[in-house]
Structures are given as C-alpha cells and as structure tokens.
Amino acid sequence: MATRINKYLSEVGFCSRRRADILIKKGKVTINGEIPEIGTKVEDSDQVEVEGKKIKKSIKQKNIYLAFNKPVGIVCTTDKKVEPHNIIDFIKYPERIFPIGRLDKLSEGLIFLTNDGDIVNKILRARNNHEKEYIVSVNRPIDSKFIETMSKGVKILGTTTKDCFVKKLGPKKFKIILTQGLNRQIRRMCESLGYRVQSLKRVRIMNIKLDVPTGKFREFTKEEILELNELLENSKKNI
C-alpha cells in the first residue's frame, strides 16, 4: 500500500512529518535515486534514502514514549552538530528518538521524546487546547494586576495570547497553564509587562506530570497512554 513519504519517514521512526517535509524540500531525501516532491507516495518495494542512508521499514516498530526532565543548558534538537548539549546525545537512548516540541536552552522540565512521528502535530496543535503547565520565577514582586493581565492575554509577536490560568505562588513566583505554544511565549509575556524570567520549569503536559529527577527519563505507563489516547481521540491516530 502506498504511503506519503513524510508519513513513511515518521512511521519508521526516522523523524516527524514536519521534519521530513523540511528534508524533502532541501533535496536530502530520495526514492529509488530520485528526489521526490512533497506528497510523493512510497511503495514497500521502493528504496528510500535520507542523505545517502538507506531507510528500512521494519515489520512493526515498538513505539517509544519517554517523559524527560530536561536540565537547563540542554538544547532540544536532534542536530548532532550542537555539541555537547543536544538532547539526543545527553540522553543516549539506544534507539532513534526525537523530542515533541521544545523547551528553550534556559528552561527546564518536562519534554516528551518518541520514535512515533505521527503523533507530534496532534500534541502540538494549539487548536486542540492541550494543556502545558509551568512554574515561573521572575526578578521582582508580582501583584494582582500582573496575574490578571497575564491570564487575559498579552500582546506579543504581533498577536494577543490566549486566555490562560495564572496563579500566584509566592512574592516572585507563579503557575501558568497554556494551551498554545508561541516562541518563548512565557518569557515574552513577562518581558512585555516589565518583568524578566529568572527560572522556568514545565511540570506537566496534558495528563503527564513531571516526576523524575533532573536529567532523568522514564517511559509512559500503560494508564498514561490510555488516558492520552482519550485526550487525542479526535485526532486521526492514537498511540
């Protein structure tokens, strides 16, 4: 059965569909020696290569889903040129995996890693309203006006952020739950109000909570996968 090339590369665990499209556009993917277009379909008998490396589709790969507590200083990239602080080299997992989404270099906390490129967009799409929870410390005391403004939306990057839950935890600390993922969103929101983030830690993504030490990871439990499937039931593919 023919499969679109980006879906093929995600199903074999090579990369996400988004990353596959980028590689295709750059001419780094070939099918039977020919550079394909976006949307080209692949048969099981076709020879697929990425940057000259043959890609073999296994009969049935075991899907891997990891919850990792990223330390400050680690970059969420699979690019081996980012040394020695790229997330893949840091974890040293024995099979090919890649991160779902990002946490910037100065931030820490929960990030998912997987070999299942088919679920990436379903988790990241803002319109799905998947929650991400953070604990944030800033450089000066916060007040009720700060909490209210942050929760009702802040103008950044040419748009206004969605309404979100914000709760004060201390003189300079608050919890925020987002359902969108603009570039460096929390830092930019704080900066727009005259604050500077001193620490930012993601402690939950959807139903998965951060419960491992910094620099460590664990596999999703069966119960977590079942619940995550329910949250993703409106998507075309569950895990």
Side-chain angles (χ1 to χ4, degrees), residues 104-119:
D104 66 50
K105 187 176 181 179
L106 296 178
S107 299
E108 61 182 314
L110 181 62
I111 188 164
F112 296 165
L113 293 106
T114 185
N115 64 343
D116 181 4
D118 213 26
I119 71 162

Side-chain angles (χ1 to χ4, degrees), residues 74-80 82 85-89 99 102:
I74 300 302
V75 181
C76 294
T77 180
T78 57
D79 188 352
K80 296 287 188 175
V82 180
H85 303 301
N86 73 75
I87 193 170
I88 301 303
D89 283 345
R102 301 178 66 87

Side-chain angles (χ1 to χ4, degrees), residues 19 91 102 104 205 225 233 235:
R19 177 61 180 165
I91 290 179
R102 301 178 66 87
D104 66 50
I205 300 174
I225 290 176
E233 64 183 354
S235 299

Side-chain angles (χ1 to χ4, degrees), residues 118-130:
D118 213 26
I119 71 162
V120 175
N121 288 337
K122 297 173 182 60
I123 290 178
L124 296 181
R125 286 184 190 125
R127 65 175 176 269
N128 286 340
N129 295 318
H130 298 319

Side-chain angles (χ1 to χ4, degrees), residues 33-199:
E34 301 291 331
I35 297 176
E37 297 180 350
I38 299 291
T40 299
K41 292 189 175 182
V42 182
E43 300 282 353
D44 288 340
S45 58
D46 290 331
Q47 178 59 63
V48 178
E49 297 186 7
V50 179
E51 296 182 317
K53 180 180 178 181
K54 293 182 179 180
I55 306 299
K56 294 182 179 180
K57 189 171 184 178
S58 59
I59 298 175
K60 178 64 177 178
Q61 71 167 4
K62 176 188 175 183
N63 287 333
I64 299 165
Y65 306 104
L66 305 180
F68 173 55
N69 188 348
K70 184 190 90 69
V72 172
I74 300 302
V75 181
C76 294
T77 180
T78 57
D79 188 352
K80 296 287 188 175
K81 295 178 182 178
V82 180
E83 296 179 342
H85 303 301
N86 73 75
I87 193 170
I88 301 303
D89 283 345
F90 182 89
I91 290 179
K92 293 182 172 64
Y93 197 76
E95 297 183 48
R96 180 186 291 276
I97 54 174
F98 48 86
I100 300 179
R102 301 178 66 87
L103 270 176
D104 66 50
K105 187 176 181 179
L106 296 178
S107 299
E108 61 182 314
L110 181 62
I111 188 164
F112 296 165
L113 293 106
T114 185
N115 64 343
D116 181 4
D118 213 26
I119 71 162
V120 175
N121 288 337
K122 297 173 182 60
I123 290 178
L124 296 181
R125 286 184 190 125
R127 65 175 176 269
N128 286 340
N129 295 318
H130 298 319
E131 292 186 347
K132 297 181 287 291
E133 181 178 335
Y134 303 81
I135 304 298
V136 186
S137 294
V138 290
N139 63 319
R140 61 188 183 88
I142 57 179
D143 53 22
S144 58
K145 183 179 180 181
F146 172 88
I147 298 297
E148 182 179 4
T149 305
M150 288 283 284
S151 64
K152 290 186 175 180
V154 177
K155 291 183 178 180
I156 61 170
L157 299 173
T159 188
T160 300
T161 59
K162 289 183 177 181
D163 290 358
C164 61
F165 176 86
V166 186
K167 180 181 179 180
K168 184 176 179 180
L169 300 179
K172 302 179 182 179
K173 182 182 290 188
F174 65 94
K175 173 170 69 175
I176 183 169
I177 300 175
L178 301 179
T179 57
Q180 64 183 143
L182 301 177
N183 190 319
R184 302 179 74 249
Q185 180 170 340
I186 297 173
R187 294 182 186 276
R188 292 179 189 274
M189 291 172 72
C190 290
E191 288 168 3
S192 73
L193 300 180
Y195 290 79
R196 185 176 69 256
V197 170
Q198 293 188 318
S199 67

